[in-house]
Amino acid sequence: MSSHPGGNLNVLFLIRYTIFLTQVRASLRAAEGLSNLNLLFPMISAVSELEEALHIVRRAYEGLVEEGVRVTWPRVGVMIEVPAAVYQVEALARRVDFLSIGTNDLAQYLLAVDRSNERVAELYHSLHPAVLAAILTVVKVARRHHKPVSVCGEMAGEATAAILLLGMGIDNLSLTAGDLPRIKWIIRNFSQQYARELLARALREEKPEPIHKMLCQALDSRRLGGLVRVGK
């Protein structure tokens, strides 16, 4: 093994490459005959990272085909959870089958706020206009490329935020079992047209507090105010 610092980096890259290739091969093999495999790549911040990941998937797929395994090419997606991915979402969307927005990390990185740090945690707000604008940017690009877009993270389970996500036309929400009944009830009581109207009003605001107040009032008007989490 080379004693040069670059040699250690090359070995580390090879180990990670091999592990990833093994994981993808196992996933493809597990989906043999089912054709229902979705692969979602997290923390993508550059097109080159996505292309490298797709190259590994292609190598795993072709290797299994050569071995006689009846595998099908999976649907691949990108997790949009860093600001760089938002600004490159057009290029990313052209290369994948679906997009998923990781709201926890995206909001944290956009606002430069560590939610676990009590000294600054109060500055974190999922309804911040910048966060809403970033999500809407991704949704618009996804629509333009006819790619489904989902949302995961705490925002998907917030009563107020769920209304705006409905208005944006999000295809899927990833929820915890505990949040599922609450959000289903909200979706059933808000038409998408009304959600769009509330979204339009929210996008005209410059601070998160008026947005939160407006959405709480909308929930109260339908006697759903009790579904709002304390502190949200």
Side-chain angles (χ1 to χ4, degrees):
M1 182 182 298
S2 171
S3 59
H4 191 276
N8 293 333
L9 291 176
N10 289 336
V11 170
L12 182 60
F13 172 80
L14 182 59
I15 292 174
R16 289 175 176 172
Y17 183 98
T18 302
I19 292 174
F20 186 25
L21 180 62
T22 301
Q23 291 174 333
V24 174
R25 279 178 57 90
S27 298
L28 289 169
R29 187 182 288 275
E32 182 181 1
L34 300 175
S35 302
N36 63 352
L37 178 62
N38 293 335
L39 296 177
L40 179 62
F41 302 127
M43 282 295 170
I44 294 294
S45 61
V47 173
S48 58
E49 294 176 347
L50 173 59
E51 291 179 337
E52 289 173 6
L54 290 173
H55 171 73
I56 293 176
V57 175
R58 174 65 63 181
R59 180 177 174 185
Y61 171 80
E62 292 178 347
L64 289 171
V65 170
E66 290 177 0
E67 295 171 16
V69 182
R70 298 176 60 186
V71 294
T72 55
W73 182 258
R75 295 176 72 255
V76 295
V78 167
M79 179 77 81
I80 307 296
E81 52 189 334
V82 296
V86 175
Y87 286 107
Q88 286 206 292
V89 67
E90 191 85 40
L92 297 173
R94 289 197 299 267
R95 291 167 168 80
V96 297
D97 302 301
F98 63 95
L99 299 171
S100 182
I101 305 173
T103 57
N104 288 358
D105 285 328
L106 181 59
Q108 182 165 284
Y109 292 130
L110 276 171
L111 303 178
V113 173
D114 181 0
R115 295 180 303 156
S116 63
N117 187 329
E118 294 180 358
R119 290 176 294 181
V120 296
E122 64 181 19
L123 299 176
Y124 178 94
H125 207 305
S126 59
L127 296 179
H128 191 290
V131 176
L132 299 181
I135 295 174
L136 191 57
T137 295
V138 175
V139 173
K140 287 181 177 179
V141 171
R143 291 287 168 266
R144 206 156 49 236
H145 289 274
H146 307 289
K147 305 294 173 68
V149 56
S150 62
V151 165
C152 65
E154 291 181 4
M155 190 172 179
E158 293 175 7
T160 50
I163 300 172
L164 299 185
L165 297 177
L166 174 64
M168 291 183 191
I170 296 295
D171 296 289
N172 297 288
L173 298 177
S174 178
L175 303 166
T176 65
D179 287 332
L180 183 58
R182 296 167 51 254
I183 302 306
K184 282 181 66 177
W185 192 244
I186 290 171
I187 292 174
R188 287 176 176 174
N189 282 272
F190 280 83
S191 68
Q192 193 165 42
Q193 178 58 41
Y194 184 40
R196 290 194 188 104
E197 294 173 6
L198 292 172
L199 173 63
R201 290 169 57 185
L203 294 175
R204 290 195 291 269
E205 297 290 348
E206 298 178 342
K207 301 176 183 178
E209 291 81 11
I211 298 174
H212 184 262
K213 181 179 180 180
M214 175 193 67
L215 295 171
C216 285
Q217 290 174 343
L219 286 164
D220 285 337
S221 69
R222 281 164 166 69
R223 299 183 180 180
L224 298 175
L227 298 181
V228 179
R229 289 177 183 158
V230 177
K232 293 295 184 183

